C-alpha cells in the first residue's frame, strides 16, 4: 500500500501512471458513483429532449376478454392515414392504446385484472374520468375515445356538463347515435375492432370540458383533434 502514498511533488518524478494508480486506489468508488450519475442524468435528459410527441391519440376503453387480440400496430398505422403532422416534427405519429376491463359473468366476478397498453388505474379508483385524465397526461396532447356502452355510462354518470361533442349537430346527415356516438362498425375501422365488439363507438371530447380538465397544450390543439376526426368521418362517409 505504501506505493500509493507519496507527496504531490513526487508526481512528476514517478509519472502519471503511478498517480492514476494512487487516485484509483483511494477514489475508485466515488469516481464510479459520479460517472454512473452523469450517465444516468445524461440518459434522462436525452430521453426528455427526444421524447416522441404524438399528433393525435386514440383510446379504447371497454369491457372485453378479447382486447389483447387487437392488432395495435396495424390500427395505429391506419389512424396515421387520417392525421396530419400537426406539430411539424418527426412526421405523422398517432398513439393508439386500450384498456379492457374483463367481462363480468356469473362464473367470473373478479374485476381486479386489467389489460392495458396505456396505464393501470389505482385499485381504489372507480371513476373512469380519473383514469382517462391519467392516460391523456401519459400518452399525448389531444385525444378521441372509443367506448362501449358500459364504460361510456360510467364516464357520463353524475356529470352536470356535457363531456362529449354533439356530433349530430356537426354531422346532421350521419347515423349519429344519442347525439354524440359514431358507431365504429359504420366507419373505416369496422373490421379492426370486431375482435372486441361490434357495438363500440367513437366520441370526441367537448372543448368546454377539455378547458376544465386538460393542460393548455391540449386546448391549443383542439382544432387538430377535430381535423383528425373529420378525416376519419370523410373517409367513412365519402360525399
Amino acid at each position: 500500500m505504501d506505493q500509493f502514498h507519496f507527496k504531490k511533488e513526487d508526481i512528476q518524478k514517478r509519472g502519471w501512471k503511478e498517480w492514476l494508480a494512487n487516485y484509483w486506489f483511494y477514489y475508485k468508488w466515488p469516481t464510479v458513483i459520479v460517472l454512473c450519475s452523469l450517465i444516468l442524468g445524461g440518459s434522462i435528459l436525452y430521453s426528455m429532449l427526444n421524447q416522441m410527441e404524438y399528433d393525435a391519440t386514440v383510446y379504447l376503453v371497454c369491457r372485453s376478454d378479447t382486447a389483447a387480440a387487437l392488432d395495435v400496430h396495424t390500427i395505429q398505422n391506419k389512424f396515421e392515414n387520417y392525421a396530419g403532422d400537426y406539430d411539424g416534427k418527426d412526421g405523422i405519429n398517432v398513439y393508439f392504446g386500450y384498456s379492457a376491463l374483463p367481462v363480468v359473468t356469473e362464473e367470473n366476478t373478479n374485476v381486479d385484472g386489467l389489460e392495458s397498453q396505456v396505464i393501470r388505474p389505482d385499485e381504489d379508483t372507480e371513476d373512469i374520468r380519473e383514469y382517462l385524465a391519467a392516460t391523456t397526461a401519459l400518452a399525448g396532447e389531444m385525444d378521441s375515445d372509443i367506448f362501449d356502452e358500459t364504460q361510456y355510462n360510467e364516464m357520463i354518470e353524475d356529470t352536470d356538463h356535457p363531456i362529449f361533442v354533439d356530433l349530430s349537430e356537426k354531422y346532421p346527415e350521419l347515423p349519429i347515435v344519442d347525439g354524440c356516438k359514431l358507431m365504429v362498425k359504420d366507419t373505416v375501422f369496422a373490421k379492426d375492432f370486431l375482435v372486441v365488439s361490434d357495438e363500440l363507438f367513437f366520441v370526441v371530447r367537448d372543448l368546454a370540458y377539455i378547458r376544465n380538465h386538460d393542460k393548455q397544450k391540449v386546448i391549443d390543439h383542439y382544432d387538430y383533434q377535430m381535423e383528425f376526426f373529420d378525416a376519419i368521418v370523410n373517409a367513412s362517409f365519402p360525399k
Side-chain angles (χ1 to χ4, degrees), residues 39-74:
I39 293 172
L40 178 61
S43 177
I44 294 174
L45 180 61
Y46 178 84
S47 298
M48 292 175 62
L49 294 175
N50 293 275
Q51 185 177 12
M52 175 69 73
E53 293 190 14
Y54 294 98
D55 296 293
T57 60
V58 182
Y59 299 111
L60 164 64
V61 186
C62 64
R63 287 194 178 275
S64 170
D65 294 326
T66 58
L70 284 170
D71 189 341
V72 173
H73 182 70
T74 297

PDB file of all heavy atoms in Angstrom, residues 39-74:
ATOM      1  N   ILE A  39     -23.944   9.476 -16.306  1.00  0.00           N
ATOM      2  CA  ILE A  39     -24.524   8.686 -17.395  1.00  0.00           C
ATOM      3  C   ILE A  39     -26.037   8.618 -17.258  1.00  0.00           C
ATOM      4  O   ILE A  39     -26.774   8.797 -18.235  1.00  0.00           O
ATOM      5  CB  ILE A  39     -23.916   7.273 -17.406  1.00  0.00           C
ATOM      6  CG1 ILE A  39     -22.430   7.343 -17.789  1.00  0.00           C
ATOM      7  CG2 ILE A  39     -24.665   6.361 -18.371  1.00  0.00           C
ATOM      8  CD1 ILE A  39     -21.699   6.033 -17.642  1.00  0.00           C
ATOM      9  N   LEU A  40     -26.523   8.366 -16.036  1.00  0.00           N
ATOM     10  CA  LEU A  40     -27.965   8.292 -15.801  1.00  0.00           C
ATOM     11  C   LEU A  40     -28.627   9.629 -16.086  1.00  0.00           C
ATOM     12  O   LEU A  40     -29.670   9.704 -16.750  1.00  0.00           O
ATOM     13  CB  LEU A  40     -28.238   7.862 -14.364  1.00  0.00           C
ATOM     14  CG  LEU A  40     -29.717   7.775 -13.951  1.00  0.00           C
ATOM     15  CD1 LEU A  40     -30.443   6.748 -14.823  1.00  0.00           C
ATOM     16  CD2 LEU A  40     -29.834   7.404 -12.483  1.00  0.00           C
ATOM     17  N   GLY A  41     -28.019  10.718 -15.590  1.00  0.00           N
ATOM     18  CA  GLY A  41     -28.583  12.040 -15.836  1.00  0.00           C
ATOM     19  C   GLY A  41     -28.601  12.385 -17.310  1.00  0.00           C
ATOM     20  O   GLY A  41     -29.570  12.949 -17.819  1.00  0.00           O
ATOM     21  N   GLY A  42     -27.525  12.045 -18.005  1.00  0.00           N
ATOM     22  CA  GLY A  42     -27.484  12.292 -19.446  1.00  0.00           C
ATOM     23  C   GLY A  42     -28.525  11.505 -20.191  1.00  0.00           C
ATOM     24  O   GLY A  42     -29.141  12.003 -21.140  1.00  0.00           O
ATOM     25  N   SER A  43     -28.741  10.261 -19.758  1.00  0.00           N
ATOM     26  CA  SER A  43     -29.751   9.422 -20.405  1.00  0.00           C
ATOM     27  C   SER A  43     -31.148   9.987 -20.205  1.00  0.00           C
ATOM     28  O   SER A  43     -31.960  10.022 -21.139  1.00  0.00           O
ATOM     29  CB  SER A  43     -29.672   7.998 -19.837  1.00  0.00           C
ATOM     30  OG  SER A  43     -30.680   7.179 -20.384  1.00  0.00           O
ATOM     31  N   ILE A  44     -31.443  10.437 -18.977  1.00  0.00           N
ATOM     32  CA  ILE A  44     -32.752  11.031 -18.693  1.00  0.00           C
ATOM     33  C   ILE A  44     -32.962  12.301 -19.507  1.00  0.00           C
ATOM     34  O   ILE A  44     -34.029  12.525 -20.090  1.00  0.00           O
ATOM     35  CB  ILE A  44     -32.895  11.324 -17.184  1.00  0.00           C
ATOM     36  CG1 ILE A  44     -32.911  10.009 -16.391  1.00  0.00           C
ATOM     37  CG2 ILE A  44     -34.156  12.131 -16.907  1.00  0.00           C
ATOM     38  CD1 ILE A  44     -32.895  10.209 -14.897  1.00  0.00           C
ATOM     39  N   LEU A  45     -31.930  13.141 -19.563  1.00  0.00           N
ATOM     40  CA  LEU A  45     -32.026  14.383 -20.328  1.00  0.00           C
ATOM     41  C   LEU A  45     -32.232  14.097 -21.810  1.00  0.00           C
ATOM     42  O   LEU A  45     -33.057  14.749 -22.469  1.00  0.00           O
ATOM     43  CB  LEU A  45     -30.754  15.208 -20.129  1.00  0.00           C
ATOM     44  CG  LEU A  45     -30.696  16.553 -20.868  1.00  0.00           C
ATOM     45  CD1 LEU A  45     -31.828  17.462 -20.392  1.00  0.00           C
ATOM     46  CD2 LEU A  45     -29.350  17.224 -20.647  1.00  0.00           C
ATOM     47  N   TYR A  46     -31.514  13.111 -22.331  1.00  0.00           N
ATOM     48  CA  TYR A  46     -31.663  12.746 -23.739  1.00  0.00           C
ATOM     49  C   TYR A  46     -33.083  12.260 -24.023  1.00  0.00           C
ATOM     50  O   TYR A  46     -33.685  12.625 -25.043  1.00  0.00           O
ATOM     51  CB  TYR A  46     -30.656  11.660 -24.106  1.00  0.00           C
ATOM     52  CG  TYR A  46     -30.762  11.188 -25.539  1.00  0.00           C
ATOM     53  CD1 TYR A  46     -30.132  11.876 -26.572  1.00  0.00           C
ATOM     54  CD2 TYR A  46     -31.509  10.043 -25.859  1.00  0.00           C
ATOM     55  CE1 TYR A  46     -30.232  11.443 -27.887  1.00  0.00           C
ATOM     56  CE2 TYR A  46     -31.620   9.611 -27.165  1.00  0.00           C
ATOM     57  CZ  TYR A  46     -30.975  10.309 -28.177  1.00  0.00           C
ATOM     58  OH  TYR A  46     -31.094   9.884 -29.471  1.00  0.00           O
ATOM     59  N   SER A  47     -33.621  11.439 -23.112  1.00  0.00           N
ATOM     60  CA  SER A  47     -34.981  10.921 -23.295  1.00  0.00           C
ATOM     61  C   SER A  47     -36.001  12.047 -23.285  1.00  0.00           C
ATOM     62  O   SER A  47     -36.958  12.050 -24.063  1.00  0.00           O
ATOM     63  CB  SER A  47     -35.310   9.907 -22.192  1.00  0.00           C
ATOM     64  OG  SER A  47     -34.442   8.801 -22.267  1.00  0.00           O
ATOM     65  N   MET A  48     -35.790  13.032 -22.397  1.00  0.00           N
ATOM     66  CA  MET A  48     -36.720  14.157 -22.313  1.00  0.00           C
ATOM     67  C   MET A  48     -36.673  14.997 -23.581  1.00  0.00           C
ATOM     68  O   MET A  48     -37.708  15.440 -24.089  1.00  0.00           O
ATOM     69  CB  MET A  48     -36.390  15.014 -21.099  1.00  0.00           C
ATOM     70  CG  MET A  48     -36.663  14.351 -19.768  1.00  0.00           C
ATOM     71  SD  MET A  48     -36.120  15.361 -18.367  1.00  0.00           S
ATOM     72  CE  MET A  48     -37.155  16.807 -18.585  1.00  0.00           C
ATOM     73  N   LEU A  49     -35.471  15.212 -24.096  1.00  0.00           N
ATOM     74  CA  LEU A  49     -35.327  16.050 -25.280  1.00  0.00           C
ATOM     75  C   LEU A  49     -35.795  15.349 -26.544  1.00  0.00           C
ATOM     76  O   LEU A  49     -36.161  15.997 -27.525  1.00  0.00           O
ATOM     77  CB  LEU A  49     -33.865  16.484 -25.440  1.00  0.00           C
ATOM     78  CG  LEU A  49     -33.320  17.416 -24.355  1.00  0.00           C
ATOM     79  CD1 LEU A  49     -31.836  17.669 -24.571  1.00  0.00           C
ATOM     80  CD2 LEU A  49     -34.091  18.730 -24.330  1.00  0.00           C
ATOM     81  N   ASN A  50     -35.785  14.018 -26.537  1.00  0.00           N
ATOM     82  CA  ASN A  50     -36.136  13.259 -27.732  1.00  0.00           C
ATOM     83  C   ASN A  50     -37.420  12.454 -27.569  1.00  0.00           C
ATOM     84  O   ASN A  50     -37.669  11.519 -28.327  1.00  0.00           O
ATOM     85  CB  ASN A  50     -34.989  12.312 -28.105  1.00  0.00           C
ATOM     86  CG  ASN A  50     -33.749  13.061 -28.545  1.00  0.00           C
ATOM     87  OD1 ASN A  50     -33.604  13.433 -29.699  1.00  0.00           O
ATOM     88  ND2 ASN A  50     -32.832  13.276 -27.606  1.00  0.00           N
ATOM     89  N   GLN A  51     -38.222  12.814 -26.569  1.00  0.00           N
ATOM     90  CA  GLN A  51     -39.471  12.113 -26.338  1.00  0.00           C
ATOM     91  C   GLN A  51     -40.425  12.305 -27.518  1.00  0.00           C
ATOM     92  O   GLN A  51     -40.576  13.407 -28.032  1.00  0.00           O
ATOM     93  CB  GLN A  51     -40.126  12.611 -25.053  1.00  0.00           C
ATOM     94  CG  GLN A  51     -41.384  11.835 -24.673  1.00  0.00           C
ATOM     95  CD  GLN A  51     -41.944  12.319 -23.346  1.00  0.00           C
ATOM     96  OE1 GLN A  51     -41.534  13.357 -22.833  1.00  0.00           O
ATOM     97  NE2 GLN A  51     -42.881  11.587 -22.794  1.00  0.00           N
ATOM     98  N   MET A  52     -41.032  11.201 -27.923  1.00  0.00           N
ATOM     99  CA  MET A  52     -41.967  11.252 -29.030  1.00  0.00           C
ATOM    100  C   MET A  52     -43.165  12.124 -28.679  1.00  0.00           C
ATOM    101  O   MET A  52     -43.765  11.987 -27.620  1.00  0.00           O
ATOM    102  CB  MET A  52     -42.454   9.841 -29.377  1.00  0.00           C
ATOM    103  CG  MET A  52     -43.536   9.791 -30.442  1.00  0.00           C
ATOM    104  SD  MET A  52     -42.911  10.248 -32.072  1.00  0.00           S
ATOM    105  CE  MET A  52     -41.964   8.778 -32.462  1.00  0.00           C
ATOM    106  N   GLU A  53     -43.502  13.049 -29.572  1.00  0.00           N
ATOM    107  CA  GLU A  53     -44.702  13.853 -29.418  1.00  0.00           C
ATOM    108  C   GLU A  53     -45.705  13.398 -30.467  1.00  0.00           C
ATOM    109  O   GLU A  53     -45.421  13.447 -31.663  1.00  0.00           O
ATOM    110  CB  GLU A  53     -44.379  15.341 -29.577  1.00  0.00           C
ATOM    111  CG  GLU A  53     -43.522  15.900 -28.465  1.00  0.00           C
ATOM    112  CD  GLU A  53     -43.421  17.414 -28.512  1.00  0.00           C
ATOM    113  OE1 GLU A  53     -44.231  18.035 -29.242  1.00  0.00           O
ATOM    114  OE2 GLU A  53     -42.553  17.971 -27.828  1.00  0.00           O
ATOM    115  N   TYR A  54     -46.857  12.970 -30.006  1.00  0.00           N
ATOM    116  CA  TYR A  54     -47.862  12.420 -30.910  1.00  0.00           C
ATOM    117  C   TYR A  54     -48.765  13.527 -31.446  1.00  0.00           C
ATOM    118  O   TYR A  54     -49.136  14.453 -30.724  1.00  0.00           O
ATOM    119  CB  TYR A  54     -48.692  11.352 -30.194  1.00  0.00           C
ATOM    120  CG  TYR A  54     -47.882  10.130 -29.834  1.00  0.00           C
ATOM    121  CD1 TYR A  54     -47.362   9.973 -28.557  1.00  0.00           C
ATOM    122  CD2 TYR A  54     -47.620   9.153 -30.780  1.00  0.00           C
ATOM    123  CE1 TYR A  54     -46.602   8.861 -28.224  1.00  0.00           C
ATOM    124  CE2 TYR A  54     -46.860   8.038 -30.456  1.00  0.00           C
ATOM    125  CZ  TYR A  54     -46.363   7.899 -29.184  1.00  0.00           C
ATOM    126  OH  TYR A  54     -45.599   6.803 -28.865  1.00  0.00           O
ATOM    127  N   ASP A  55     -49.116  13.388 -32.725  1.00  0.00           N
ATOM    128  CA  ASP A  55     -50.022  14.353 -33.343  1.00  0.00           C
ATOM    129  C   ASP A  55     -51.458  14.116 -32.903  1.00  0.00           C
ATOM    130  O   ASP A  55     -52.284  15.030 -32.938  1.00  0.00           O
ATOM    131  CB  ASP A  55     -49.924  14.240 -34.870  1.00  0.00           C
ATOM    132  CG  ASP A  55     -48.539  14.614 -35.369  1.00  0.00           C
ATOM    133  OD1 ASP A  55     -48.170  15.790 -35.248  1.00  0.00           O
ATOM    134  OD2 ASP A  55     -47.821  13.735 -35.866  1.00  0.00           O
ATOM    135  N   ALA A  56     -51.783  12.904 -32.501  1.00  0.00           N
ATOM    136  CA  ALA A  56     -53.127  12.578 -32.026  1.00  0.00           C
ATOM    137  C   ALA A  56     -53.044  11.312 -31.198  1.00  0.00           C
ATOM    138  O   ALA A  56     -52.132  10.507 -31.352  1.00  0.00           O
ATOM    139  CB  ALA A  56     -54.093  12.386 -33.195  1.00  0.00           C
ATOM    140  N   THR A  57     -53.983  11.163 -30.307  1.00  0.00           N
ATOM    141  CA  THR A  57     -54.074   9.942 -29.520  1.00  0.00           C
ATOM    142  C   THR A  57     -55.507   9.433 -29.537  1.00  0.00           C
ATOM    143  O   THR A  57     -56.457  10.218 -29.565  1.00  0.00           O
ATOM    144  CB  THR A  57     -53.638  10.167 -28.062  1.00  0.00           C
ATOM    145  OG1 THR A  57     -54.484  11.152 -27.473  1.00  0.00           O
ATOM    146  CG2 THR A  57     -52.200  10.620 -27.980  1.00  0.00           C
ATOM    147  N   VAL A  58     -55.650   8.130 -29.528  1.00  0.00           N
ATOM    148  CA  VAL A  58     -56.971   7.496 -29.509  1.00  0.00           C
ATOM    149  C   VAL A  58     -56.943   6.401 -28.447  1.00  0.00           C
ATOM    150  O   VAL A  58     -56.025   5.575 -28.415  1.00  0.00           O
ATOM    151  CB  VAL A  58     -57.329   6.866 -30.874  1.00  0.00           C
ATOM    152  CG1 VAL A  58     -58.727   6.256 -30.813  1.00  0.00           C
ATOM    153  CG2 VAL A  58     -57.247   7.903 -31.985  1.00  0.00           C
ATOM    154  N   TYR A  59     -57.951   6.376 -27.569  1.00  0.00           N
ATOM    155  CA  TYR A  59     -58.043   5.372 -26.520  1.00  0.00           C
ATOM    156  C   TYR A  59     -59.303   4.534 -26.707  1.00  0.00           C
ATOM    157  O   TYR A  59     -60.382   5.068 -26.975  1.00  0.00           O
ATOM    158  CB  TYR A  59     -58.115   6.017 -25.136  1.00  0.00           C
ATOM    159  CG  TYR A  59     -56.915   6.851 -24.794  1.00  0.00           C
ATOM    160  CD1 TYR A  59     -57.027   8.229 -24.702  1.00  0.00           C
ATOM    161  CD2 TYR A  59     -55.666   6.271 -24.583  1.00  0.00           C
ATOM    162  CE1 TYR A  59     -55.925   9.008 -24.399  1.00  0.00           C
ATOM    163  CE2 TYR A  59     -54.564   7.047 -24.284  1.00  0.00           C
ATOM    164  CZ  TYR A  59     -54.695   8.406 -24.192  1.00  0.00           C
ATOM    165  OH  TYR A  59     -53.606   9.189 -23.897  1.00  0.00           O
ATOM    166  N   LEU A  60     -59.140   3.256 -26.525  1.00  0.00           N
ATOM    167  CA  LEU A  60     -60.280   2.348 -26.444  1.00  0.00           C
ATOM    168  C   LEU A  60     -60.450   1.965 -24.983  1.00  0.00           C
ATOM    169  O   LEU A  60     -59.514   1.476 -24.346  1.00  0.00           O
ATOM    170  CB  LEU A  60     -60.023   1.098 -27.290  1.00  0.00           C
ATOM    171  CG  LEU A  60     -60.937  -0.112 -27.018  1.00  0.00           C
ATOM    172  CD1 LEU A  60     -62.388   0.211 -27.358  1.00  0.00           C
ATOM    173  CD2 LEU A  60     -60.450  -1.336 -27.789  1.00  0.00           C
ATOM    174  N   VAL A  61     -61.630   2.207 -24.437  1.00  0.00           N
ATOM    175  CA  VAL A  61     -61.931   1.839 -23.056  1.00  0.00           C
ATOM    176  C   VAL A  61     -63.204   1.004 -23.074  1.00  0.00           C
ATOM    177  O   VAL A  61     -64.266   1.482 -23.482  1.00  0.00           O
ATOM    178  CB  VAL A  61     -62.141   3.083 -22.167  1.00  0.00           C
ATOM    179  CG1 VAL A  61     -62.312   2.664 -20.709  1.00  0.00           C
ATOM    180  CG2 VAL A  61     -60.969   4.041 -22.305  1.00  0.00           C
ATOM    181  N   CYS A  62     -63.087  -0.252 -22.644  1.00  0.00           N
ATOM    182  CA  CYS A  62     -64.236  -1.142 -22.782  1.00  0.00           C
ATOM    183  C   CYS A  62     -64.127  -2.290 -21.789  1.00  0.00           C
ATOM    184  O   CYS A  62     -63.164  -2.406 -21.036  1.00  0.00           O
ATOM    185  CB  CYS A  62     -64.291  -1.712 -24.205  1.00  0.00           C
ATOM    186  SG  CYS A  62     -62.871  -2.760 -24.612  1.00  0.00           S
ATOM    187  N   ARG A  63     -65.145  -3.134 -21.795  1.00  0.00           N
ATOM    188  CA  ARG A  63     -65.087  -4.411 -21.091  1.00  0.00           C
ATOM    189  C   ARG A  63     -64.976  -5.504 -22.145  1.00  0.00           C
ATOM    190  O   ARG A  63     -65.857  -5.669 -22.985  1.00  0.00           O
ATOM    191  CB  ARG A  63     -66.331  -4.620 -20.223  1.00  0.00           C
ATOM    192  CG  ARG A  63     -66.347  -3.755 -18.977  1.00  0.00           C
ATOM    193  CD  ARG A  63     -67.401  -4.206 -17.973  1.00  0.00           C
ATOM    194  NE  ARG A  63     -67.340  -3.390 -16.781  1.00  0.00           N
ATOM    195  CZ  ARG A  63     -66.529  -3.611 -15.756  1.00  0.00           C
ATOM    196  NH1 ARG A  63     -65.699  -4.637 -15.794  1.00  0.00           N
ATOM    197  NH2 ARG A  63     -66.540  -2.815 -14.705  1.00  0.00           N
ATOM    198  N   SER A  64     -63.880  -6.228 -22.096  1.00  0.00           N
ATOM    199  CA  SER A  64     -63.655  -7.246 -23.119  1.00  0.00           C
ATOM    200  C   SER A  64     -62.610  -8.237 -22.643  1.00  0.00           C
ATOM    201  O   SER A  64     -61.633  -7.868 -21.990  1.00  0.00           O
ATOM    202  CB  SER A  64     -63.185  -6.598 -24.421  1.00  0.00           C
ATOM    203  OG  SER A  64     -62.755  -7.581 -25.341  1.00  0.00           O
ATOM    204  N   ASP A  65     -62.825  -9.512 -22.984  1.00  0.00           N
ATOM    205  CA  ASP A  65     -61.832 -10.539 -22.716  1.00  0.00           C
ATOM    206  C   ASP A  65     -60.980 -10.814 -23.947  1.00  0.00           C
ATOM    207  O   ASP A  65     -60.130 -11.707 -23.930  1.00  0.00           O
ATOM    208  CB  ASP A  65     -62.528 -11.839 -22.281  1.00  0.00           C
ATOM    209  CG  ASP A  65     -63.228 -11.673 -20.934  1.00  0.00           C
ATOM    210  OD1 ASP A  65     -62.714 -10.919 -20.090  1.00  0.00           O
ATOM    211  OD2 ASP A  65     -64.295 -12.287 -20.741  1.00  0.00           O
ATOM    212  N   THR A  66     -61.203 -10.065 -25.020  1.00  0.00           N
ATOM    213  CA  THR A  66     -60.510 -10.340 -26.284  1.00  0.00           C
ATOM    214  C   THR A  66     -59.692  -9.159 -26.787  1.00  0.00           C
ATOM    215  O   THR A  66     -59.099  -9.237 -27.860  1.00  0.00           O
ATOM    216  CB  THR A  66     -61.530 -10.724 -27.378  1.00  0.00           C
ATOM    217  OG1 THR A  66     -62.469  -9.653 -27.539  1.00  0.00           O
ATOM    218  CG2 THR A  66     -62.260 -12.000 -27.012  1.00  0.00           C
ATOM    219  N   ALA A  67     -59.629  -8.075 -26.022  1.00  0.00           N
ATOM    220  CA  ALA A  67     -58.933  -6.874 -26.495  1.00  0.00           C
ATOM    221  C   ALA A  67     -57.456  -7.125 -26.748  1.00  0.00           C
ATOM    222  O   ALA A  67     -56.835  -6.459 -27.581  1.00  0.00           O
ATOM    223  CB  ALA A  67     -59.112  -5.731 -25.497  1.00  0.00           C
ATOM    224  N   ALA A  68     -56.867  -8.076 -26.039  1.00  0.00           N
ATOM    225  CA  ALA A  68     -55.445  -8.361 -26.230  1.00  0.00           C
ATOM    226  C   ALA A  68     -55.152  -8.876 -27.636  1.00  0.00           C
ATOM    227  O   ALA A  68     -54.000  -8.863 -28.075  1.00  0.00           O
ATOM    228  CB  ALA A  68     -54.964  -9.373 -25.194  1.00  0.00           C
ATOM    229  N   ALA A  69     -56.189  -9.323 -28.347  1.00  0.00           N
ATOM    230  CA  ALA A  69     -56.006  -9.816 -29.711  1.00  0.00           C
ATOM    231  C   ALA A  69     -55.999  -8.691 -30.744  1.00  0.00           C
ATOM    232  O   ALA A  69     -55.797  -8.943 -31.933  1.00  0.00           O
ATOM    233  CB  ALA A  69     -57.116 -10.821 -30.056  1.00  0.00           C
ATOM    234  N   LEU A  70     -56.201  -7.464 -30.313  1.00  0.00           N
ATOM    235  CA  LEU A  70     -56.168  -6.332 -31.240  1.00  0.00           C
ATOM    236  C   LEU A  70     -54.784  -6.201 -31.876  1.00  0.00           C
ATOM    237  O   LEU A  70     -53.762  -6.343 -31.208  1.00  0.00           O
ATOM    238  CB  LEU A  70     -56.501  -5.033 -30.508  1.00  0.00           C
ATOM    239  CG  LEU A  70     -57.958  -4.773 -30.150  1.00  0.00           C
ATOM    240  CD1 LEU A  70     -58.052  -3.574 -29.213  1.00  0.00           C
ATOM    241  CD2 LEU A  70     -58.789  -4.534 -31.403  1.00  0.00           C
ATOM    242  N   ASP A  71     -54.774  -5.912 -33.154  1.00  0.00           N
ATOM    243  CA  ASP A  71     -53.518  -5.654 -33.850  1.00  0.00           C
ATOM    244  C   ASP A  71     -53.198  -4.170 -33.671  1.00  0.00           C
ATOM    245  O   ASP A  71     -53.496  -3.338 -34.532  1.00  0.00           O
ATOM    246  CB  ASP A  71     -53.650  -6.013 -35.330  1.00  0.00           C
ATOM    247  CG  ASP A  71     -52.319  -5.969 -36.062  1.00  0.00           C
ATOM    248  OD1 ASP A  71     -51.386  -5.333 -35.540  1.00  0.00           O
ATOM    249  OD2 ASP A  71     -52.221  -6.556 -37.150  1.00  0.00           O
ATOM    250  N   VAL A  72     -52.608  -3.841 -32.526  1.00  0.00           N
ATOM    251  CA  VAL A  72     -52.411  -2.453 -32.140  1.00  0.00           C
ATOM    252  C   VAL A  72     -51.557  -1.712 -33.159  1.00  0.00           C
ATOM    253  O   VAL A  72     -51.850  -0.565 -33.534  1.00  0.00           O
ATOM    254  CB  VAL A  72     -51.767  -2.372 -30.735  1.00  0.00           C
ATOM    255  CG1 VAL A  72     -51.391  -0.935 -30.392  1.00  0.00           C
ATOM    256  CG2 VAL A  72     -52.723  -2.926 -29.694  1.00  0.00           C
ATOM    257  N   HIS A  73     -50.489  -2.341 -33.615  1.00  0.00           N
ATOM    258  CA  HIS A  73     -49.580  -1.679 -34.558  1.00  0.00           C
ATOM    259  C   HIS A  73     -50.296  -1.336 -35.860  1.00  0.00           C
ATOM    260  O   HIS A  73     -50.157  -0.223 -36.387  1.00  0.00           O
ATOM    261  CB  HIS A  73     -48.385  -2.582 -34.840  1.00  0.00           C
ATOM    262  CG  HIS A  73     -47.368  -1.975 -35.753  1.00  0.00           C
ATOM    263  ND1 HIS A  73     -46.554  -0.923 -35.378  1.00  0.00           N
ATOM    264  CD2 HIS A  73     -47.041  -2.249 -37.054  1.00  0.00           C
ATOM    265  CE1 HIS A  73     -45.777  -0.584 -36.393  1.00  0.00           C
ATOM    266  NE2 HIS A  73     -46.055  -1.368 -37.415  1.00  0.00           N
ATOM    267  N   THR A  74     -51.073  -2.268 -36.388  1.00  0.00           N
ATOM    268  CA  THR A  74     -51.804  -2.026 -37.635  1.00  0.00           C
ATOM    269  C   THR A  74     -52.841  -0.915 -37.452  1.00  0.00           C
ATOM    270  O   THR A  74     -52.996  -0.043 -38.316  1.00  0.00           O
ATOM    271  CB  THR A  74     -52.487  -3.310 -38.110  1.00  0.00           C
ATOM    272  OG1 THR A  74     -51.486  -4.291 -38.400  1.00  0.00           O
ATOM    273  CG2 THR A  74     -53.324  -3.065 -39.359  1.00  0.00           C
TER     274      THR A  74
END
